[in-house]
Amino acid sequence: MLNKPLVMDTDERQRLLEWWHTMDAAKPMVRRLMSLITELRLNPESSHADGMILFYRAASEISYGYAGVRGCIRRAFANEYREALRINMAMCHSFAERFSVDTKVLLERVAQQISGQNALLLIQKIRETLAENDVMLKEIKSKADAFFGRDTFNSIQNKVKQSITLPKS
């Protein structure tokens, strides 16, 4: 079932292309976010902050999530569209969403420990870029919903969540 090729009709291919264009439009924002966070991490006014490595790692997961979705879409256009790829698309999208929340929380933890003007300016730019990311994630989610269908996409995401969550004891 996971390896059986899925066939997209013309409308599905068009919706997938629209999703691709939205992902492509997000690339400069993701690059800017990672550049700003790297600059903050290396800045002598902020590099000492507790949680800096966790913050950087969470932001990296946002980037990986975007890259993963883009890779999956590219593979879907290359006749590799299968149920396993659909699951991977949903999983990568959820990485970007979940780690976006973590990144914002960790940014505020790091920000409390910084007083240097240059580092504080970087913090503000990162906040603005994370706000852009929130807008972009909503747009991307709407494209994913349009491609899969909202209920199907939510169902796939719930299956992924269940598969990676430890059962209650």
Side-chain angles (χ1 to χ4, degrees):
M1 180 170 143
L2 293 177
N3 289 323
K4 181 182 175 201
L6 300 172
V7 178
M8 286 184 277
D9 64 26
T10 304
D11 289 338
E12 287 172 312
R13 291 182 75 76
Q14 181 60 41
R15 288 190 299 270
L16 186 61
L17 184 60
E18 290 170 8
W19 190 7
W20 169 261
H21 288 306
T22 304
M23 296 302 301
D24 203 43
K27 273 180 26 181
M29 180 273 307
V30 173
R31 284 187 186 137
R32 187 171 60 256
L33 176 65
M34 292 312 300
S35 177
L36 289 166
I37 291 172
T38 299
E39 190 175 345
L40 182 70
R41 185 173 157 226
L42 298 174
N43 187 310
E45 297 175 345
S46 55
S47 61
H48 66 280
D50 290 340
M52 181 61 77
I53 299 301
L54 291 173
F55 168 61
Y56 183 80
R57 185 70 189 134
S60 294
E61 292 293 338
I62 294 171
S63 178
Y64 298 152
Y66 276 96
V69 172
R70 291 182 79 247
C72 289
I73 292 171
R74 191 171 34 250
R75 287 176 54 204
F77 277 121
N79 296 322
E80 295 181 41
Y81 188 51
R82 292 170 168 66
E83 187 61 28
L85 188 61
R86 290 165 51 99
I87 292 167
N88 202 21
M89 290 167 134
M91 188 167 37
C92 290
H93 178 80
S94 70
F95 286 167
E97 284 183 329
R98 285 194 188 120
F99 283 101
S100 178
V101 173
D102 291 352
T103 300
K104 287 184 273 188
V105 169
L106 290 165
L107 173 63
E108 296 311 318
R109 178 180 173 172
V110 167
Q112 290 173 356
Q113 302 171 52
I114 296 171
S115 58
Q117 286 301 321
N118 291 329
L120 290 172
L121 180 61
L122 287 170
I123 294 283
Q124 186 54 39
K125 288 180 181 180
I126 292 167
R127 283 182 182 126
E128 292 166 4
T129 308
L130 285 168
E132 284 180 55
N133 180 58
D134 289 343
V135 170
M136 191 57 69
L137 284 172
K138 286 179 186 171
E139 178 72 19
I140 289 166
K141 173 106 170 71
S142 74
K143 299 301 181 186
D145 285 345
F147 176 70
F148 286 116
R150 178 173 285 138
D151 292 339
T152 300
F153 188 55
N154 288 337
S155 174
I156 294 170
Q157 284 189 311
N158 286 334
K159 285 178 189 174
V160 167
K161 191 184 305 179
Q162 288 172 356
S163 73
I164 62 173
T165 304
L166 293 173
K168 293 180 182 178
S169 312

